[in-house]
Structure formats: C-alpha cells, structure tokens
Amino acid sequence: MKLSGPRVGVIVSYLYSFGQIAVQLLFVPLLLNGIGQAEYGLYQLVGSVMAYIISINGILSAGVSRFYCMYYAESDYGKMENTLAISKRLYWILSLISFAVVLVLSVVVHFIYSESFSSSQLVEMSLMLIVLGLNCIVTMNNAVYIAAITAHERFAFLKLSQLLALVVQPIIVVFLMRLWANALMVCCVIFATNAACSFSQRVFCKCVLGVKATYHGWDSQLVRGLFKFGSAIILVAIADQIFWKTDQLIIGYYYGPNPVAVYAVGSQVFSAYMAVGTAVASVFMPKVSFLYHKKKDFAGISSLFIKVGRVSFIVCGLILGAFVVVGNDFIRLWAGEGFEQSYLIAILIMAPFTIDIIQNLGLTILQVEDKYYFRGVMYFVIAIINIVTTVIFVKRVGIVGAALSTAGATVFGNGLLMNWYYEKKMNIDIKGFWHEIFKLFLPMVFATGVVKILYSTTIVATSWLSIFLAVLLYFLLQFSILWFVGFNDYEKKLITAAIKLLGLR
C-alpha cells in the first residue's frame, strides 16, 4: 500500500491520535504522582496562557496550507515556492512579537495571581512562560513545512514524527523527575522534543520532497490574501482558547491551582477525544481544494462532508460510549482520589462538542472556499459571552459550572448556527448528513445502554482488568451491531485497509 493519499492519511491520522491518547493516559498520572497536584495545576494554567499566544500562529498557518494546496493543485511551482518564502518572513516577525508578549506576561502574572499563588509558584510560572515562548517560536516557523507535507499527502511521516516526539517526552520526564521534579522541567522537555521534531520535518521537506522556499519577489496579493483569510482564522483560534482555556484561568483566579488540576483532568480526557475526532479532516484539505478549484464539484464536496462525518462519528461514538460506561472508575484509577468531578466535566464537554467534531471537515471546506469569516465572527462573539456565563456559573456551582457554560455555548454556536450556515450558505446537504448519522446513532445508544447496565450491576471496578473487560465487551457488541446494520461499503473497506496496514491480516 502506498504510504500517501487520503485513505492512508485517515488510517495514519487515527493511529497517531490513538497513540496520542495512550501517551496522555500515561503522562497525566505520571505528572500527578511525580510533581504533585499543585505543580500539575500550575503546568496546566501556564499552558492555558500560552495557548492564547500560540493562537497567533493561526493568523497564517491555515492560510499557508490553503494557498499552497491551491497552487499545488494548479501545478504552479513558482507560486508554491514564493508562498513558503514569504510566509517564512512573516512568521519570523510574528514569532518575535509573540515572544515579546510572553516576556510582558511573565511579569504581569505576578500581579494577577498574587493572592492565589505563592511567590515561588509565581517565579516558576514566569520561567515556564519564557521556555514555552521559545517553543512558540519553533512551532510558528515550522508551520510552512507542515503545510508542504500536507499538500504532498505525506501523512505517514508527518504523524509518525509527531507521535515519536510525544512518546519521547514522558520517557525523558521520568528520567529527569528524580533530579528536577517540577512543572518547569516538563516545559523544558516539551520545548526540546518539539524542536527536534520540527528539525526532522524540515529536513524531510527539503531532502525527500524537494520542497523549496525560494523568494520570487514580494507578492502583495498573496500577503493580503493570507491576512484576510487569517483574520477569520485568528478569531476562531482566540475563541478556541476562550472556550477551552479561559475556564482554567477563571477557576485558578477564584480557587487556586488544585481545582485547576481537577478541571484539567476532565479537559485532558476531552482533548484526547477531540484529537481522535478531528484527526481525519485535515487529511482531506488537498482533495477539497482539488474538487473546488479544479472541478467546481459542489455535490462532491457535500458527499465528502457526509462520508467523513460518518467515519468521525463512528470513532467518536465508540470512545464516548466507552467513557460513559467506565469513565468514573477510569478517572479514579487513572488520576487518583479527589478527581470525582472530572468525570462529569468531561461528559458535559464531550457530548455536545461531538457535533463540531463530526462536522470538522466543514471548517476545511470553509477555508478552501474562503468563507471562514462567518465562523470566525460567530465563534468569537459566543466565546466572549461564554466568559461571562462561566464566571457566573463558577461562582454559583463551582468548577462544574465552567463545563456547563461551555456545553451550552457549544450546542448553540457549533450546532445550531453552523448547521444553518452549512445548509443555507454553502449548499451542503445537512438533512442528508443527519439522516446518515442517525443510522449509526440508534445502534450506538442501544449498545452503550446495555453495557452500562451490565457494568453497573455486575462488575466491581477494582482494577484496570475489570475496566478493560468492560470496554472490550462494549467494543465487541458495538462493532458487531454496526458491522451488520451501520457500516457502509466505504467504512468496511477502510477497516479492512487498516487491518492490512497493521499486518493483522
């Protein structure tokens, strides 16, 4: 099998995402036990702050991918080279601006969190911000090479290199934890491994793909296009951070680092869920670009939207259902005692966000068709409203209130408003989409309900073995039902191809 193309891209992306989950499952308890709950909360809080800075990357990254894929589909190699060359110059400017902002923040946090953090924690927070600021420079300047690898559909190398970096991180952390057990050390390891991964991707682009970032002169039209497209992307990027990171900042302000850790554990489960669900969409950027720019095949784009949505829903449904069944006991064994609320937080966020995950290809289509501005403005406005409701809910019902606020905003924005826009403004067959999803939904709910009842009444979850057996029973029942009444021919072929790729057949 060729290690390129959409089908292999889907398989490799999912393998990467499942590997990412496996690493997270090991990494979170490792950090909690090794550096403690307070240090872990500090690590998550700094990560929340840095997420806003790294969102600046969104000004150009999606635009670079869009224009490079467009020129690649048109075989315009001169513009491909110039797109990368100009983007690299712009990224250096943005990365230096970002680092300057980080330096300012490293001072400002002392004033914001002085009442809920100790002086030593504030100093450590400042140092962590500086290290992650350097990581931000590396990440931004590597975006052009990731765009090139994506356009050439070399997903196997891209995802495997990223997975290797993820696997190496906890190994190095374990080694260093005996000498330097704190959150700052974890940030330094993340920076080092990301730098090594970025370097390997850069070498691959230049030596294997022969990608060139040759400057052919300043292209004002391209730059305007990048920033015009990026203005919508940055709104979404910032809104994303408001949705998924501001909750922790607000909780940290009112309650300190320990409750942040509890909320972060639930968020880690959601992050793993989101990574798997959205893995497939980026693979189809070249294909959507080809259908739109080369063929003007709008019916084909709508059909692809439904196809990818079904595949994403199958994976999401299996994971969400399994977590509903065993999630409470899983978190108790995984993170330890004192994280009971993390289960409810994860469920409240995961369930409504499933809508956005299974329609994630819609965001790619918006980018290709240059219609992302509606998404940007809508998402940003709802995210701002979400800040207000989060503060109100957190003050009244505690940290679970943050999840409730985010869930409601997700249903309204990502669900109702975006589905209206897809159908009315982009001519995507939304009724047909939900009709296809409903065919999978009923058997999934049935299997989840049956196994949940059996698990609750007959299994005492005292070990990982009991949880594993419950999940195995769930997957076997769910998969069997879907194979006969849910999967279509494409999905069965995809499963068969994955089995062959793994050497199981």
Side-chain angles (χ1 to χ4, degrees):
M1 178 184 290
K2 276 181 67 180
L3 292 179
S4 61
R7 182 177 291 180
V8 173
V10 171
I11 296 168
V12 172
S13 293
Y14 277 131
L15 290 177
Y16 165 75
S17 296
F18 285 122
Q20 191 178 29
I21 289 176
V23 171
Q24 283 187 2
L25 291 180
L26 294 172
F27 207 16
V28 171
L30 182 91
L31 290 178
L32 285 170
N33 293 325
I35 65 177
Q37 186 174 358
E39 284 287 316
Y40 180 73
L42 185 64
Y43 167 69
Q44 288 294 330
L45 190 66
V46 171
S48 299
V49 175
M50 282 306 303
Y52 283 93
I53 306 301
I54 208 73
S55 67
I56 297 175
N57 187 40
I59 294 177
L60 291 179
S61 61
V64 174
S65 295
R66 176 182 180 268
F67 284 103
Y68 190 85
C69 286
M70 181 178 72
Y71 295 138
Y72 184 68
E74 297 172 352
S75 300
D76 192 334
Y77 298 105
K79 287 188 176 180
M80 288 165 58
E81 294 174 357
N82 210 31
T83 297
L84 297 185
I86 291 175
S87 298
K88 285 178 68 175
R89 286 162 169 76
L90 295 173
Y91 266 123
W92 268 113
I93 296 171
L94 287 173
S95 61
L96 292 176
I97 293 172
S98 300
F99 190 69
V101 171
V102 170
L103 291 178
V104 173
L105 285 175
S106 66
V107 177
V108 171
V109 292
H110 285 259
F111 299 97
I112 297 176
Y113 292 101
S114 59
E115 294 185 4
S116 52
F117 287 77
S118 67
S119 58
S120 62
Q121 287 175 331
L122 291 171
V123 171
E124 185 179 1
M125 186 186 295
S126 295
L127 293 174
M128 290 165 65
L129 282 168
I130 293 171
V131 172
L132 291 177
L134 294 172
N135 183 64
C136 182
I137 293 176
V138 171
T139 302
M140 282 188 174
N141 287 282
N142 192 52
V144 294
Y145 298 105
I146 292 178
I149 295 172
T150 300
H152 287 269
E153 298 185 325
R154 300 302 291 268
F155 306 109
F157 172 80
L158 178 62
K159 295 301 180 182
L160 290 175
S161 62
Q162 293 171 340
L163 180 60
L164 180 61
L166 279 173
V167 171
V168 169
Q169 282 176 11
I171 294 174
I172 298 176
V173 167
V174 169
F175 177 76
L176 293 178
M177 202 172 281
R178 298 176 183 178
L179 305 172
W180 189 21
N182 59 25
L184 177 58
M185 175 270 293
V186 179
C187 291
C188 290
V189 171
I190 290 173
F191 168 58
T193 52
N194 283 349
C197 179
S198 298
F199 178 74
S200 70
Q201 291 166 349
R202 188 173 193 166
V203 171
F204 181 81
C205 273
K206 291 186 175 182
C207 299
V208 178
L209 299 181
V211 170
K212 297 179 181 179
T214 305
Y215 185 65
H216 295 288
W218 190 254
D219 188 338
S220 299
Q221 185 176 358
L222 171 65
V223 174
R224 283 196 300 271
L226 285 171
F227 279 102
K228 179 184 176 183
F229 186 73
S231 63
I233 299 293
I234 193 62
L235 284 175
V236 173
I238 294 174
D240 265 334
Q241 306 316 317
I242 292 172
F243 263 106
W244 311 123
K245 298 300 182 181
T246 302
D247 289 356
Q248 296 179 29
L249 295 176
I250 293 171
I251 291 169
Y253 178 80
Y254 282 108
Y255 300 112
N258 285 47
V260 172
V262 175
Y263 193 87
V265 167
S267 295
Q268 284 293 317
V269 175
F270 162 72
S271 296
Y273 178 68
M274 182 171 65
V276 173
T278 59
V280 65
S282 61
V283 168
F284 287 94
M285 169 72 89
K287 185 167 184 177
V288 173
S289 188
F290 177 78
L291 289 172
Y292 180 75
H293 293 292
K294 203 85 170 180
K295 289 192 170 184
K296 300 298 180 183
D297 185 1
F298 299 103
I301 292 175
S302 186
S303 177
L304 186 64
F305 181 81
I306 295 173
K307 179 191 290 186
V308 174
R310 277 181 57 95
V311 173
S312 298
F313 186 74
I314 289 167
V315 177
C316 288
L318 287 169
I319 296 172
L320 180 58
F323 187 75
V324 168
V325 173
V326 303
N328 212 353
D329 293 320
F330 166 80
I331 286 180
R332 178 174 53 81
L333 291 174
W334 175 51
E337 299 296 337
F339 291 90
E340 292 77 14
Q341 287 182 303
S342 300
Y343 171 71
L344 181 58
I345 288 167
I347 292 292
L348 285 172
I349 298 175
M350 289 164 70
F353 197 70
T354 302
I355 299 172
D356 190 69
I357 289 177
I358 64 177
Q359 294 185 339
N360 199 248
L361 185 67
L363 307 187
T364 303
I365 297 171
L366 285 170
Q367 292 171 17
V368 170
E369 296 188 13
D370 201 11
K371 295 180 179 179
Y372 210 69
Y373 196 73
F374 173 80
R375 159 83 174 182
V377 173
M378 178 278 296
Y379 203 33
F380 185 77
V381 170
I382 290 178
I384 296 298
I385 295 172
N386 187 44
I387 293 178
V388 178
T389 55
T390 296
V391 171
I392 295 171
F393 284 18
V394 165
K395 290 171 70 175
R396 292 190 176 184
V397 298
I399 63 175
V400 174
L404 283 170
S405 174
T406 299
T410 301
V411 170
F412 180 70
N414 298 349
L416 296 176
L417 289 182
M418 285 311 303
N419 274 260
W420 171 82
Y421 190 80
Y422 287 144
E423 184 173 40
K424 300 297 183 183
K425 303 298 181 179
M426 297 184 64
N427 298 315
I428 294 176
D429 185 8
I430 290 298
K431 291 179 181 177
F433 174 87
W434 285 112
H435 178 73
E436 289 295 320
I437 295 299
F438 195 69
K439 292 178 183 177
L440 298 166
F441 178 75
L442 288 179
M444 283 187 164
V445 170
F446 172 76
T448 302
V450 169
V451 179
K452 179 65 175 178
I453 292 171
L454 290 173
Y455 181 78
S456 301
T457 56
T458 61
I459 299 176
V460 179
T462 57
S463 67
W464 286 110
L465 179 60
S466 57
I467 289 180
F468 173 77
L469 292 175
V471 172
L472 181 61
L473 173 63
Y474 168 77
F475 278 147
L476 288 174
L477 178 61
Q478 189 76 275
F479 192 83
S480 299
I481 294 174
L482 289 174
W483 187 268
F484 292 105
V485 300
F487 295 153
N488 57 31
D489 290 339
Y490 172 78
E491 290 148 5
K492 290 180 179 179
K493 288 178 181 178
L494 194 62
I495 293 167
T496 303
I499 293 172
K500 289 180 178 178
L501 186 65
L502 292 171
L504 300 177
R505 179 178 172 184

